[in-house]
């Protein structure tokens, strides 16, 4: 390219280049917003449930909702515009509402058995979550039949997001917990932190509790090479 044309740029009569760059930015914004939302949702769910496994399962449930909502855009034949890009950034925030309540109910269940915990979860929180989803679905129906395209698309988006959220939360998330849900303290953040603290401070299997252990809470069991020293009470004559 000559020096005179080094600072030039291309133009098209119908603005193809502008549309291409705009579409690229919209895709990057939508994908970035989704991953940022999932990145924030995962640690919040883990901390809210205080269980690593339950938090990760809930995050996977939200990811499935996002994929389903994206498929709705393709089914209706919509192109990824400004409104669609903004709506996709809101999916994670709307989808987390239902699964987090079920996950928290599973966490506070008094039983250690996964089946009993799932039963407790559905009995205490299932009707509330389902009722909340029904009211939101009902309110979105009024926007679907609007004559303005903006409200119609937003109504379909809200309806699809809430529908898939309650579907995955009440059916898929519940079924996964029945199959592989943590029992007892498995996956608990407290158990994990205690295990890490024990490894860092040097605790291992074979350690026994003692009262004279230099503040560590344990000492090695005495071996044959280590004689047992018993302190007899001092006798005063």
């Amino acid at each position: 390219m000559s020096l005179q044309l080094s600072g030039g740029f291309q133009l098209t009569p119908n603005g193809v280049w502008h549309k291409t760059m705009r579409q690229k930015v919209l895709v990057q914004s939508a994908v970035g917003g989704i991953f940022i939302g999932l990145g924030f949702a995962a640690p919040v769910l883990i901390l809210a449930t205080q269980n690593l496994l339950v938090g990760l399962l809930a995050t996977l449930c939200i990811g499935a909702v996002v994929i389903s909502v994206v498929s709705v855009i393709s089914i209706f034949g919509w192109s990824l515009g400004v409104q669609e890009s903004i709506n996709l950034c809101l999916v994670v925030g709307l989808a987390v509402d239902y699964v987090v309540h079920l996950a928290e109910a599973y966490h506070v269940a008094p039983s250690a058995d996964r089946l009993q915990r799932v039963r407790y979860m559905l009995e205490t929180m299932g009707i509330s979550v389902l009722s909340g989803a029904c009211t939101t679905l009902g309110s979105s129906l009024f926007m679907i039949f609007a004559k303005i395209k903006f409200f119609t698309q937003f109504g379909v988006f809200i309806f699809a997001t809430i529908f898939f959220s309650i579907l995955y939360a009440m059916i898929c998330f519940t079924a996964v917990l029945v199959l592989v849900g943590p029992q007892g303290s498995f996956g608990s953040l407290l158990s994990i932190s205690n295990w890490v603290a024990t490894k860092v401070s040097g605790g291992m299997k074979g350690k026994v509790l003692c009262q004279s252990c230099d503040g560590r809470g344990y000492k090695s069991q005495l071996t044959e090479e280590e004689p047992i020293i018993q302190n007899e009470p001092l006798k005063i004559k």
Side-chain angles (χ1 to χ4, degrees):
M1 181 180 293
S2 63
L3 181 62
Q4 291 79 5
L5 298 178
S6 60
F9 56 92
Q10 296 178 333
L11 290 176
T12 55
N14 54 358
V16 174
W17 293 115
H18 295 80
K19 293 180 181 178
T20 303
M21 291 303 300
R22 183 182 63 183
Q23 196 73 14
K24 180 180 179 181
V25 172
L26 290 176
V27 172
Q28 291 176 348
S29 301
V31 174
I34 291 172
F35 278 102
I36 291 175
L38 290 175
F40 277 100
V44 170
L45 288 169
I46 293 174
L47 292 176
T49 60
Q50 299 182 18
N51 191 287
L52 181 62
L53 182 57
V54 175
L56 293 179
L57 291 177
T59 305
L60 291 177
C61 182
I62 297 174
V65 174
V66 173
I67 295 174
S68 301
V69 174
V70 172
S71 67
V72 171
I73 296 178
S74 177
I75 292 173
F76 279 87
W78 298 337
S79 60
L80 187 62
V82 176
Q83 181 181 353
E84 290 79 11
S85 179
I86 295 175
N87 290 341
L88 289 177
C89 295
L90 301 175
V91 174
V92 177
L94 294 173
V96 73
D97 188 33
Y98 305 102
V99 69
V100 67
H101 287 86
L102 294 178
E104 176 63 18
Y106 183 89
H107 165 67
V108 300
S111 177
D113 179 68
R114 63 168 64 100
L115 295 179
Q116 296 299 324
R117 299 178 80 172
V118 170
R119 182 187 297 273
Y120 177 86
M121 175 188 74
L122 295 177
E123 290 178 350
T124 58
M125 196 59 64
I127 186 63
S128 301
V129 171
L130 185 60
S131 300
C134 290
T135 55
T136 308
L137 289 174
S139 63
S140 63
L141 288 176
F142 294 95
M143 291 189 292
I144 292 178
F145 298 102
K147 295 183 179 180
I148 301 177
K149 184 179 179 180
F150 173 83
F151 293 109
T152 302
Q153 287 189 351
F154 192 71
V156 172
F157 164 77
I158 294 295
F159 188 91
T161 303
I162 302 304
F163 174 78
F164 286 119
S165 298
I166 193 64
L167 182 68
Y168 283 109
M170 294 294 293
I171 298 179
C172 298
F173 183 67
T174 303
V176 172
L177 289 179
V178 170
L179 296 176
V180 297
Q183 301 189 100
S185 61
F186 181 81
S188 173
L189 294 183
L190 182 60
S191 300
I192 295 175
S193 62
N194 291 338
W195 180 82
V196 172
T198 302
K199 290 299 181 182
V200 171
S201 59
M204 293 166 40
K205 293 182 178 180
K207 302 294 183 177
V208 295
L209 295 177
C210 68
Q211 296 180 351
S212 57
C213 51
D214 298 330
R216 293 179 299 175
Y218 57 85
K219 68 176 182 179
S220 301
Q221 291 180 343
L222 298 178
T223 60
E224 296 179 357
E225 291 77 15
E226 297 176 353
I228 300 176
I229 301 177
Q230 296 180 349
N231 295 324
E232 298 180 354
L234 181 63
K235 297 179 179 181
I236 301 176
K237 297 182 179 180

